[in-house]
Amino acid sequence: MQGKVAIVTGGARGIGRAVVLELARAGARVVVNYRSSSEQAVALAHEVDGRAVQADVSTSEGCEALVAAASELGAIHALVNNAGITDDGLVMRMRDPQWDEVMRVNAGSTFRMCRAVLPAMARARAGAIVNIGSVSALRGNAGQVNYSASKAAMIALTRSLALEMARRSVRVNAVCPGFIQTDMTAELPEKSQQMAVDRIPMRRMGQPEDVAPMVRFLCSDESAYVTGQVFVVDGGLSV
């Protein structure tokens, strides 16, 4: 990916950070998107000789501003839709804002970022989009109907968009991580974390660095004949 421009939304921490580092090692010029993690994003962008861009990708305006900033570095080759949130709760107690916000940030930002970046990719007849889903979209998770539904929507978007863009040589794939050690999973009670590990055949939680190489592969020309696919990185949890 030498010299190619890549955008990673939610790129300052966790899986996003690992993806930024992986793409940079492959030679890409990486745009680190963030909403509030300014210090981490700026430091990471400096480390990889990239650019940190603050933008709320759950809004059309934020997506368009991010793409415009990234385009200043050159033609955008890859987009990794990683930005996401959780707001867990049982359905009977879940409030409308809990549902709406998780869907808006997770599924909505993916749609809006794809829409913003695709015109240039279509004209160039080249590009790769990788959407970061979740194993929760494939097997469900009690207490996370909003999160699971938002990630399932991302998978459906991936497959449909892949069909739309295949003739333009723009590839769209998804990666679904399992339980990965990030700030998000760190918020779970210790008992819940241990219960999760007990369900994983490999008997450990994954690391962000376990996910990043798959994303890099799908962004690179090594996967030039791969589109519309969902790749699970979960230690065997979904088997």
Side-chain angles (χ1 to χ4, degrees), residues 94-114:
M94 185 171 289
R95 297 169 287 105
D96 285 356
Q98 282 180 274
W99 173 271
D100 294 340
E101 186 68 1
V102 170
M103 292 297 292
R104 184 176 72 87
V105 173
N106 296 357
S109 66
T110 300
F111 160 69
R112 292 181 176 87
M113 278 303 301
C114 289

Side-chain angles (χ1 to χ4, degrees), residues 138-189:
L138 305 176
R139 67 189 308 275
N141 199 26
Q144 284 195 319
V145 294
N146 50 359
Y147 182 76
S148 298
S150 71
K151 293 298 186 176
M154 290 172 65
I155 291 174
L157 182 152
T158 296
R159 289 172 169 152
S160 296
L161 188 56
L163 293 175
E164 288 189 18
M165 301 308 299
R167 291 187 180 182
R168 297 278 184 168
S169 298
V170 177
R171 298 176 292 105
V172 189
N173 293 288
V175 173
C176 286
F179 287 101
I180 307 297
Q181 287 187 323
T182 64
D183 292 346
M184 189 178 292
T185 55
E187 295 176 359
L188 294 171

Side-chain angles (χ1 to χ4, degrees), residues 11-150:
R13 301 180 299 169
I15 292 173
R17 174 184 170 82
V19 169
V20 169
L21 291 170
E22 183 77 14
L23 294 179
R25 280 193 290 268
R29 304 184 68 189
V30 188
V31 175
V32 183
N33 161 250
Y34 69 99
R35 184 173 65 175
S36 58
S37 303
S38 175
E39 185 175 340
Q40 297 99 317
V42 171
L44 179 59
H46 179 75
E47 180 180 347
V48 300
D49 195 24
R51 177 179 294 186
V53 178
Q54 183 179 31
D56 182 356
V57 294
S58 68
T59 69
S60 297
E61 295 78 12
C63 293
E64 291 164 5
L66 174 57
V67 171
S71 297
E72 294 175 1
L73 300 180
I76 299 169
H77 171 79
L79 165 65
V80 180
N81 284 308
N82 172 70
I85 63 170
T86 59
D87 193 351
D88 298 346
L90 298 175
V91 169
M92 290 187 293
R93 299 175 184 172
M94 185 171 289
R95 297 169 287 105
D96 285 356
Q98 282 180 274
W99 173 271
D100 294 340
E101 186 68 1
V102 170
M103 292 297 292
R104 184 176 72 87
V105 173
N106 296 357
S109 66
T110 300
F111 160 69
R112 292 181 176 87
M113 278 303 301
C114 289
R115 184 177 62 183
V117 82
L118 278 173
M121 286 185 174
R123 287 193 297 271
R125 291 185 174 272
I129 296 173
V130 180
N131 298 322
I132 305 300
S134 170
V135 69
S136 296
L138 305 176
R139 67 189 308 275
N141 199 26
Q144 284 195 319
V145 294
N146 50 359
Y147 182 76
S148 298
S150 71

